[in-house]
Amino acid sequence: MRSIILAGLVGCALVAPGIASAASKYCSDLLPGLPELNQKRRIEAEDLVRLRDIGPNWSSAREPMLSLSPDGTKLAFAMYRADIASNSYCSGVFVLDTESGAPPKLVSEGGVYFFLQRSSYGIASFKDASVATVVPQWTPDGRSLAFLREENGRVQVWSVLADGGQRRQLTNEPYNIENFAWTANGKAIVFSGRPELESKKEELKEEAKVGYLYDERFAPRLGNTPQILEPVVVQYQTMDVETRTLRAATGPEIALLTEGSRAIFDKDAMVTSLGAHGAKAWTMGDKGDPTYSPTTLFAQTASGRSGKCSDAACDSVRALWWLSDGETLIFLQRKPYGNQKTYYRWRVGAASPTLLLRTTDVIGECTPHKRGLICLHEASRQPRRIVTFDASNGKIFPVFDPNPEFKSIHLGSVERLTWRNEQGVETFGDLVLPPDHKPGQIHPLVVTSYSSNGFLRGATTDEYPIQLFASRGYAVLSFSRPLQAGKVLGGKSSLEISHLDRKDWADRKLVHSLLLSGVEAVLSKGVADPKRVAITGSSEGAALTQWAILHSNVFSAAIMTNCCLDPILRKTLNGPQIIAKLKAEIGEPDLTDTDQLAYWKPMSMRLNADKMNVPLLLELSENEYMMATEGLTALSEKNKTVEAYVFPDEYHVKWQPLHRLAIYNRNLEWLDFWFKGVENPDPAKIKQNERWRKLRDARPH
């Protein structure tokens, strides 16, 4: 199980005063009923915001999100759904009988929506508001479940009877529990956390009394106080569940929490998997990085038989799953930034694996089940659901659909497109057309980025509602960025590839050339208007959007979630720790380097304000908006067409349902205004419409 740092819970128990009844009513449909098989209707923004999610709204393929009972008959999982009324989430732990076909049963409400905080840039608690994965764990006897839950500001281990009996708190530590596991006899739990984080927070309170030393701990864009830097010691303890006595965990007990790490594999192992009775499998490559091929698949079965697969099919393995026999593997092969996913079965020791399935769908987060796996599945027009994957033939069979309402929603058609640029580099994208598209119709085109994978919801970070755009008459190209330029140019290590990417902005140029080729591929179909093409993006997608509107005349409107790559604030707001890492990895110049402006000139919004003539909407988070102010100031000085919004208590990934709904709707309104001349007639939008008219009237004709 992955080690996670959890902070912040939103759930039905935390609704604001005065709206508890609305939230309670809403939470009653966390578990879906039977779909209404009425005449199909158009999708609304609320449909996307209120999707029921098992796990985060992105797919890792490798990480488990489903937990099978010891006898293989029941499946436990966490599910959540946004509650717009209370601006929070309804959440719960469910148990599904895999034999009866009955709907899942809610066994515990609340306590399962957490923020994932990564250790990043050497910062011990780097918060970006991605939802963490909560996976309930069965006791060895299959009678109870344990899971992480926050109450009173602390994340602790809680348990509940599998039939929905009384929930109780197991641990009560003065710090957040990050990981846990049952011992083999089910009488104790092993858990880990970082109490040193709490002591360091107390040290900061003392330092505040005399003023903080401005040093490498500061990252101003993350806050006005020093960050806690790595290393921070992880503490492992074991607790007897009945007596609640604690002791230091033994080595074998610690291994229960760390067995999924590379520690028990080769030190350069990349993708790893553990199966029944000690079976293990892993991949190896020249540089120990899954983006670099070729790789080789190694395995050791439950019976002790070892195998090695050097077949081409065993290259670029992204995920591995053992079947319950501990002798056979299912694995996912996907080339870096590849168009298709291919699933194979390999009986360890066989010369080559057996092809099971080629698909553009996402099937992952699997666990062994009967003749195959039980997994999460999503397709371009199918939200995530639970399925079984037959290991004999690669067929999938539905088990539970959390969002049956989508059967009554008329979604746009999806066509997978692939293309190459003049260098022969290939990428792909999904073309989505309006549900009522007729041959010969031409629509405005919206480009979303930077990954097209699974259910086409809101693009990367979920702010650009693809099917909502299509429903309102837009063609959408969901663009997937290509292989890094540094790799195309022959880079052999992560560091070398990063430096080649930034040399003369090679990666930005490569992505841009393929982006334009993708737009041209759509225009050549005669379904889109070349005079009404919008570009949107978040994170890496925002960077490619910034480059696109500065280096081409193809786009006539733009929306960005993050902005902007400008030299002064890039250096000053990131702080010493992050900047030092960026300089080492990318080779960025110092602020005082005489050639630093020349380095930034091709990318900087400030240094190119004169040539930025595209109406630009910025949807910024409180955590990142300061990074945009250098570019925004320059654009304002040049009277450019730009409007920006800042969302409080938001991070790199925006989490609040009301904010997500507002962003969905405003992004659509921005496109409607510039491409169709349509204004939202809602009285609440009067001032917005007035501002936008002034922006339009001030533009040169």
Side-chain angles (χ1 to χ4, degrees), residues 479-673:
F479 172 73
S480 195
R481 69 148 290 151
L483 183 68
Q484 288 172 268
K487 180 61 179 173
V488 175
L489 293 170
K492 301 300 183 184
S493 66
S494 298
L495 187 61
E496 185 179 1
I497 287 172
S498 294
H499 279 268
L500 288 171
D501 280 346
R502 276 298 185 92
K503 186 177 181 181
D504 196 27
W505 297 92
D507 191 58
R508 293 270 67 88
K509 291 176 180 178
L510 174 66
V511 174
H512 185 62
S513 72
L514 279 157
L515 173 67
L516 296 185
S517 297
V519 171
E520 184 56 38
V522 174
L523 296 178
S524 69
K525 290 178 169 289
V527 296
D529 182 354
K531 295 183 179 179
R532 293 183 294 169
V533 181
I535 179 73
T536 69
S538 176
S539 192
E540 155 64 17
L544 71 85
T545 296
Q546 183 172 330
W547 185 276
I549 60 180
L550 294 177
H551 291 271
S552 68
N553 296 316
V554 171
F555 305 102
S556 43
I559 309 173
M560 294 168 62
T561 302
N562 326 91
C563 188
C564 305
L565 286 176
D566 282 307
I568 295 176
L569 294 186
R570 170 84 164 178
K571 290 291 185 181
T572 55
L573 292 183
N574 271 318
Q577 177 81 7
I578 296 176
I579 286 302
K581 189 169 180 61
L582 288 172
K583 183 175 182 180
E585 291 186 351
I586 301 174
E588 288 187 1
D590 289 336
L591 195 61
T592 54
D593 287 354
T594 56
D595 62 347
Q596 65 106 4
L597 291 184
Y599 172 88
W600 284 105
K601 176 63 177 176
M603 188 67 187
S604 168
M605 192 73 81
R606 171 173 70 90
L607 299 177
N608 292 282
D610 275 330
K611 60 191 291 189
M612 212 297 287
N613 295 313
V614 174
L616 173 62
L617 174 66
L618 300 178
E619 307 273 24
L620 308 170
S621 67
E622 179 183 22
N623 183 249
E624 295 182 333
Y625 88 95
M626 288 294 292
M627 299 287 288
T629 55
E630 184 177 348
L632 266 174
T633 301
L635 294 176
S636 297
E637 289 176 352
K638 296 295 183 180
N639 297 313
K640 298 298 180 177
T641 309
V642 61
E643 181 157 287
Y645 293 81
V646 179
F647 291 87
D649 191 24
E650 294 288 10
Y651 302 84
H652 191 65
V653 179
K654 300 184 183 72
W655 65 275
Q656 296 180 55
L658 281 174
H659 290 167
R660 292 173 57 209
L661 182 63
I663 289 167
Y664 275 173
N665 286 325
R666 185 183 296 116
N667 289 347
L668 180 60
E669 291 161 4
W670 183 258
L671 297 174
D672 280 349
F673 180 83

Side-chain angles (χ1 to χ4, degrees), residues 79-96:
M79 184 167 67
Y80 65 92
R81 192 184 196 194
D83 176 8
I84 296 172
S86 63
N87 196 31
S88 65
Y89 289 82
C90 304
S91 55
V93 172
F94 292 83
V95 171
L96 172 69

